[in-house]
Amino acid sequence: MTTVYWSLGRLGDEQLMVAATEQGLCYVQYLQQKEMKASEEEALSALKAWGQSKLNEPVWHHDPSQLKPYLDELEAYGGGGRGVFTLPLDMRGTAFQMKVWQALQAIPYGVTATYSDVAAKLDRTSAVRAVGTAIGANPVLIAVPCHRVVGKDGSLTGYRGGLANKAKLLRLEGAAVGVNG
């Protein structure tokens, strides 16, 4: 049984659903999904669905105090005062997903990479689509910077938090925003 603490937080003008276990941050999601606002209940339902698929009989606790260190880091990032997240993560995924998520964490603040770049870093140049699928499954948006991955032509492509938020994050970091951003 795993205890999951959850709370709402903010990143600029956007509201986030944030969750952590005793091991670390395990989930970050905008309340905005597919360019539409989701209610807190819908966001909590999505978190619980994720938790049921990834965790062993999770027990849920709404506890902003448990999430404060993570929320503070996200807020500092949103204010332009943090380029690297230092608190622990509790990532749950396949071995391949974990390798992709580690590669994402190696992309420096303010820099973008393509899906092909990430695949090449993993010595899996023919696995660009699989890399894209793993990036899309990243449960810890922002802290694991999947927003730094762009299309081969530099355009903004898929982001679970919405392309408008991807563009905001890249602008915050001072990265070049592609043709669709």
Side-chain angles (χ1 to χ4, degrees):
M1 184 166 22
T2 302
T3 301
V4 181
Y5 304 95
W6 68 273
S7 186
L8 297 178
R10 296 205 72 77
L11 183 70
D13 58 352
E14 296 294 334
Q15 200 165 25
L16 302 172
M17 174 65 70
V18 181
T21 66
E22 293 293 336
Q23 287 72 45
L25 185 66
C26 65
Y27 187 88
V28 176
Q29 175 60 44
Y30 286 92
L31 262 62
Q32 176 179 331
Q33 296 177 0
K34 297 181 183 169
E35 307 302 318
M36 297 177 61
K37 293 288 181 184
S39 69
E40 180 178 338
E41 294 80 25
E42 291 168 324
L44 182 57
S45 177
L47 167 62
K48 287 183 175 182
W50 171 86
Q52 292 297 340
S53 71
K54 300 294 182 189
L55 305 170
N56 183 25
E57 299 181 33
V59 176
W60 303 95
H61 289 287
H62 178 246
D63 190 346
S65 66
Q66 281 289 119
L67 276 292
K68 185 172 181 355
Y70 303 103
L71 295 172
D72 287 350
E73 280 205 357
L74 286 164
E75 185 178 318
Y77 168 84
R82 172 171 293 282
V84 176
F85 291 87
T86 60
L87 291 169
L89 301 175
D90 183 5
M91 304 288 288
R92 310 287 175 115
T94 66
F96 181 73
Q97 287 172 330
M98 298 297 281
K99 287 178 184 175
V100 170
W101 299 337
Q102 287 174 332
L104 296 178
Q105 292 175 71
I107 302 170
Y109 182 91
V111 174
T112 59
T114 66
Y115 293 90
S116 297
D117 294 337
V118 176
K121 184 171 179 68
L122 299 172
D123 292 323
R124 300 282 305 268
T125 56
S126 64
V128 174
R129 285 184 189 216
V131 164
T133 299
I135 290 170
N138 170 21
V140 187
L141 298 181
I142 306 159
V144 175
C146 55
H147 61 275
R148 295 180 188 152
V149 181
V150 297
K152 199 170 208 166
D153 64 355
S155 65
L156 297 187
T157 58
Y159 183 61
R160 195 166 40 90
L163 291 181
N165 285 325
K166 183 172 187 166
K168 283 184 200 176
L169 295 174
L170 292 173
R171 284 189 197 105
L172 171 72
E173 293 184 9
V177 177
V179 295
N180 292 335

